[in-house]
Amino acid sequence: MQLGSRGLVAAIATLGLAGLFVSSTVSQAPGDTPVLPGHIDQSQIENNRYSLADLVNFGRFLFTAKFNKLDGFGRPAATGDGNPTKRIPDSAPFMIRTSGPDAGSCASCHNDPEAGGSGDFVANVFVLAQVRDPVVESISSEFSNERNTLGMHGSGAIEMLAREMTADMHAIRADAIAAAKRTGQPVTRELRTKDVYFGKITAKPDGSVDTSQVEGVDPDLIIKPFHQKGVVNSVRVFTVNAFNHHHGMQAVERFGMQRTGEADFDEDGVTDELSVGDITAATIFQVALAIPQQVMPKKGSEIASVVRGQNLFEQIGCADCHRPALILNNPVYSEPNPYNPPGNLRPQDVRRSFQLDLTKQGLGNRLERLPGGKAIVRAYTDLKRHVICDEQDPFFANERLVQGGVPLDQFITRKLWDVGNSGPWGHRGDCMSIGEAIVHHAGEARPSREKYLALTEQQRRDIVNFLKTLQVVPPR
């Protein structure tokens, strides 16, 4: 049942949190009220006035609530661009499937097998259409890149891996620059982190760096694990983008008075639509979602098939990119991310970060902890971009618009730890079986694809049976 504002106020009172919210000042329309009862004050988070459960509960509400105009839903004078961009007021439809706003809630698309999960083909998003002014009604690849909705389970672990890999590569770069200045000669270094190779850099004595041999990551050497192109570095940035794109709800930290000089950037009559604390809560809810896990069948013959499939998966080279496990040195997630770009909360903006141990806290399954405090992330990815299509099989080469400077034929290695129950598959969601998605792998993945096709039918079935065991399991 939809939880209305009265229900949330009651829940907040039950939790003893009623005094922790900033009252909403939205004037009520006849017969209706805002869905949001108020906003979270970020300073209260920094003063330890909220527990993890408090933030998860309110974050879940923000993720599942179906907002209305009194909350600020809609953006009559702004595009869906992540960079605050004006348009002529009311020059676009109030809601439009291609450019947005296009959904009442985050869970409208992220809902399988629970809120925060993936979406069916019907929930596809038309990436880059939201920045167009005037808007376009066509879903042709000429105007946007059609993408399937991905799940956010395990996103905190993925973000922390990305931070550590980024820090490793930045340290390699700093060392190369220092060596070049010291020796007066160019210095070349390999970029290798967590045993994943990202090419080479050459530092010069003047402090400049040649990044022409870098591969699978941007020249800034920041791993951006979100979006299927790998162009967003944190759950928070992803969340701020999505609220504006899909709901027309602007976050103060990017669209508010301090950065734009306006409290109502989209001119819909509602000021300060989402507070810094609101975004923190929505981020923490996603980060706290259950870590995907392997769910083994009960029959001995089926278990044997899964074990054979797992071995074959590695033998034919799938695990070269879909790494079965990466080691996280520090499993304590901290919000905000130090690599967040301006317009998003950063560590220098807060007195203290909010932290949660991904091996001990969260909703449902958690990361496996290792002796010494490290953790295993069994995500089946290397967080690197690869070419996965070619002229022989251009199935995954359907996109025509460059996003974030990433070549059209490159996509970040898909995390497979939820592949068993996150279909449909493929970045467009137009593969209705796992086997179909496998056989369309080309480009760098062609050798593994050819080995897969050379297997017996039973061996191919074993691999698919193994992949079907990798699932999101909602907590009871």
Side-chain angles (χ1 to χ4, degrees):
M1 183 175 69
Q2 174 71 25
L3 180 62
S5 59
R6 291 178 181 270
L8 181 62
V9 170
I12 292 169
T14 300
L15 291 170
L17 301 176
L20 303 185
F21 291 85
V22 179
S23 298
S24 173
T25 58
V26 179
S27 59
Q28 296 184 1
D32 215 335
T33 59
V35 174
L36 283 174
H39 302 280
I40 289 182
D41 184 349
Q42 176 67 25
S43 67
Q44 300 292 354
I45 297 175
E46 297 168 31
N47 289 332
N48 293 318
R49 295 290 302 279
Y50 291 99
S51 68
L52 173 60
D54 298 335
L55 292 179
V56 168
N57 286 339
F58 194 69
R60 185 198 304 275
F61 174 78
L62 287 167
F63 199 92
T64 58
K66 291 187 177 180
F67 302 109
N68 63 40
K69 288 185 177 181
L70 295 175
D71 299 300
F73 184 93
R75 41 179 167 77
T79 73
D81 195 339
N83 297 312
T85 308
K86 289 281 193 179
R87 67 158 38 107
I88 298 173
D90 299 315
S91 62
F94 173 62
M95 297 182 72
I96 184 170
R97 187 67 184 85
T98 49
S99 299
D102 55 9
S105 76
C106 304
S108 295
C109 299
H110 293 272
N111 53 38
D112 191 11
E114 66 169 348
S118 58
D120 206 338
F121 185 84
V122 71
N124 281 5
V125 59
F126 301 95
V127 177
L128 297 181
Q130 77 276 11
V131 307
R132 291 185 175 273
D133 186 24
V135 299
V136 294
E137 296 184 2
S138 172
I139 61 172
S140 167
S141 59
E142 178 183 355
F143 303 110
S144 63
N145 297 324
E146 186 177 2
R147 306 255 182 88
N148 189 234
T149 303
L150 296 180
M152 300 304 293
H153 290 76
S155 58
I158 296 301
E159 182 173 330
M160 291 305 296
L161 278 174
R163 294 189 203 182
E164 290 187 354
M165 296 170 79
T166 296
D168 287 348
M169 289 195 287
H170 283 188
I172 294 170
R173 182 178 62 188
D175 177 73
I177 292 173
K181 290 181 177 179
R182 184 174 63 251
T183 63
Q185 299 293 325
V187 173
T188 299
R189 292 281 192 271
E190 283 193 352
L191 295 170
R192 190 177 296 276
T193 170
K194 300 191 187 296
D195 202 31
V196 179
Y197 178 70
F198 287 91
K200 301 176 182 179
I201 56 170
T202 297
K204 301 177 181 179
D206 64 0
S208 63
V209 179
D210 179 357
T211 59
S212 61
Q213 296 185 75
V214 171
E215 57 185 61
V217 66
D218 289 335
D220 63 8
L221 308 184
I222 296 177
I223 300 289
K224 303 175 179 75
F226 303 109
H227 271 246
Q228 300 196 45
K229 282 290 190 179
V231 296
V232 173
N233 74 293
S234 72
V235 177
R236 186 180 200 97
V237 174
F238 172 85
T239 300
V240 172
N241 290 345
F243 269 120
N244 179 58
H245 176 176
H246 299 295
H247 316 313
M249 301 277 288
Q250 284 81 42
V252 169
E253 62 198 73
R254 191 183 302 172
F255 294 85
M257 182 68 70
Q258 186 173 356
R259 288 191 61 82
T260 68
E262 298 181 43
D264 181 18
F265 183 81
D266 61 354
E267 301 179 31
D268 61 0
V270 181
T271 60
D272 300 334
E273 294 172 0
L274 290 168
S275 71
V276 177
D278 292 342
I279 299 299
T280 297
T283 298
I284 294 301
F285 164 67
Q286 294 169 82
V287 167
L289 288 167
I291 300 293
Q293 62 189 94
Q294 186 171 31
V295 180
M296 294 295 286
K298 295 181 179 180
K299 293 183 179 180
S301 60
E302 294 175 351
I303 293 174
S305 174
V306 169
V307 173
R308 291 194 303 268
Q310 187 166 357
N311 291 331
L312 285 167
F313 182 86
E314 298 192 20
Q315 290 171 19
I316 67 175
C318 299
D320 292 349
C321 297
H322 294 284
R323 299 289 180 94
L326 294 174
I327 302 302
L328 184 60
N329 295 327
N330 180 10
V332 178
Y333 177 91
S334 60
E335 179 59 33
N337 185 315
Y339 301 107
N340 281 348
N344 305 275
L345 193 70
R346 296 186 289 179
Q348 59 264 40
D349 302 323
V350 300
R351 290 190 297 276
R352 57 174 290 275
S353 62
F354 187 88
Q355 300 184 342
L356 65 151
D357 189 331
L358 298 173
T359 66
K360 298 178 180 179
Q361 298 170 293
L363 303 170
N365 188 52
R366 296 161 188 167
L367 289 182
E368 302 168 56
R369 195 175 188 88
L370 295 173
K374 297 182 180 182
I376 304 177
V377 183
R378 302 185 186 278
Y380 288 88
T381 182
D382 58 5
L383 297 185
K384 180 180 177 180
R385 301 178 190 133
H386 294 275
V387 175
I388 61 167
C389 44
D390 54 32
E391 291 183 358
Q392 292 175 266
D393 190 344
F395 184 83
F396 287 136
N398 67 298
E399 300 193 349
R400 299 290 178 269
L401 302 180
V402 173
Q403 182 187 16
V406 182
L408 294 174
D409 58 358
Q410 289 187 19
F411 292 85
I412 195 167
T413 302
R414 175 71 180 267
K415 301 176 287 294
L416 296 183
W417 59 355
D418 64 349
V419 70
N421 61 348
S422 63
W425 298 272
H427 62 262
R428 187 169 174 263
D430 49 0
C431 295
M432 300 312 293
S433 68
I434 293 176
E436 183 182 358
I438 293 173
V439 299
H440 281 306
H441 277 59
E444 294 178 49
R446 177 167 289 281
S448 295
R449 166 245 183 94
E450 299 304 328
K451 291 177 182 178
Y452 176 81
L453 291 174
L455 297 174
T456 66
E457 178 60 27
Q458 181 58 55
Q459 288 175 318
R460 291 194 290 265
R461 189 174 297 118
D462 289 340
I463 290 178
V464 172
N465 286 342
F466 154 62
L467 292 172
K468 286 181 177 179
T469 66
L470 307 178
Q471 301 178 14
V472 167
V473 180
R476 294 185 178 182

